[in-house]
Amino acid sequence: MSAPERIPPRSVTTADLLAHGELTVRGRIREASNAALFCTVAYEGQEASCVYKPVAGERPLWDFPDGTLAGREVAAYEVSEATGWQLVPPTVLRDGPYGEGMCQLWIDVVPGAELLALVEDEEPGPGWKAIGLAEVGEGRTALLVHADDERLRRLAVLDAVINNADRKGGHLLPAEGGRLYGIDHGVTFNVDDKLRTLLWGWAGEPLTDEAVRVLRTLKETLEDGGALAGRLAGLITPAEIDATRARVDTLLASGRHPEPGGEWPAIPWPPV
């Protein structure tokens, strides 16, 4: 379900278009577990495709009792922007046909990008990182691997910061120009460790110098009175902001990608 995407010129920013444009619902994204509507948004002669997820269509989650999925989606975008990596499509919180909700720019996927694979070998080949064994039927297993891709590695760092509990393969969107986006960030920012992801290939490995620089910047802007802390206020709770600061501090102190813990399933199900 896609329509030609027309990105607004510089005179109208994408954020302005998403926040102030007229939303027209074109259909429902049925595979989504919560209400997700495919829309167009028009503003001052510009138009683009987008996804609108109204708060009214959210299912309550016992382990995410505070805030909303929509608020956390926007918070994930704000953190992504603060890293400078722009790994999350432009996302705003706004009113719409079914009340307040998240509105995110639609990303058309470029086919042919291999980010995940199942291999029969015990070790990943060159250019791949091991995730773990997966059942493939009839009592057989195969090794699930992801690409040894710098874009994925950046996303793994972002997920560690926002405590993403649901990084599936279907949430990875290769786009034009070699860009890669991550979507569906409604179950993030929990105060408890809930990191569940397919991007475990760098677990325990040293962070890149770039990642360390980015984390230091995040630490500064997350301080009381910092720009990012101000943008997150109202989207997630003060306790969740404090937990985000603590995760950044932990990553900087260890200097390494996190490893799976024993109290929470490390890989989301289904993984794709």
Side-chain angles (χ1 to χ4, degrees), residues 108-130:
D108 285 319
V109 175
V110 175
E114 287 194 75
L115 299 175
L116 298 168
L118 284 168
V119 298
E120 299 293 337
D121 300 327
E122 295 182 358
E123 297 292 334
W128 295 91
K129 305 289 282 187

Side-chain angles (χ1 to χ4, degrees), residues 118-166:
L118 284 168
V119 298
E120 299 293 337
D121 300 327
E122 295 182 358
E123 297 292 334
W128 295 91
K129 305 289 282 187
I131 303 170
L133 293 175
E135 294 185 8
V136 293
E138 299 180 355
R140 298 186 302 112
T141 59
L143 185 64
L144 182 61
V145 298
H146 66 67
D148 188 1
D149 187 308
E150 188 60 36
R151 300 170 302 171
L152 289 180
R153 190 166 191 173
R154 290 171 174 171
L155 194 57
V157 174
L158 175 66
D159 283 344
V161 170
I162 67 176
N163 197 16
N164 193 349
D166 196 32

Side-chain angles (χ1 to χ4, degrees), residues 181-195:
Y181 293 99
I183 61 168
D184 285 349
H185 297 106
V187 285
T188 49
F189 294 102
N190 203 294
V191 296
D192 298 322
D193 181 15
K194 292 185 181 292
L195 183 60

Side-chain angles (χ1 to χ4, degrees), residues 186-243:
V187 285
T188 49
F189 294 102
N190 203 294
V191 296
D192 298 322
D193 181 15
K194 292 185 181 292
L195 183 60
R196 291 196 305 173
T197 175
L198 286 177
L199 304 181
W200 287 117
W202 298 281
E205 293 187 14
L207 296 166
T208 64
D209 291 342
E210 177 194 47
V212 171
R213 290 194 298 271
V214 164
L215 289 168
R216 287 173 177 162
T217 299
L218 286 181
K219 179 179 174 65
E220 293 178 2
T221 195
L222 278 168
E223 292 177 353
D224 286 335
L228 180 56
R231 290 194 294 272
L232 294 181
L235 295 172
I236 58 177
T237 67
E240 288 167 336
I241 295 175
D242 286 341

Side-chain angles (χ1 to χ4, degrees), residues 172-183:
L172 305 173
L173 304 184
E176 290 183 354
R179 298 294 304 274
L180 177 70
Y181 293 99
I183 61 168

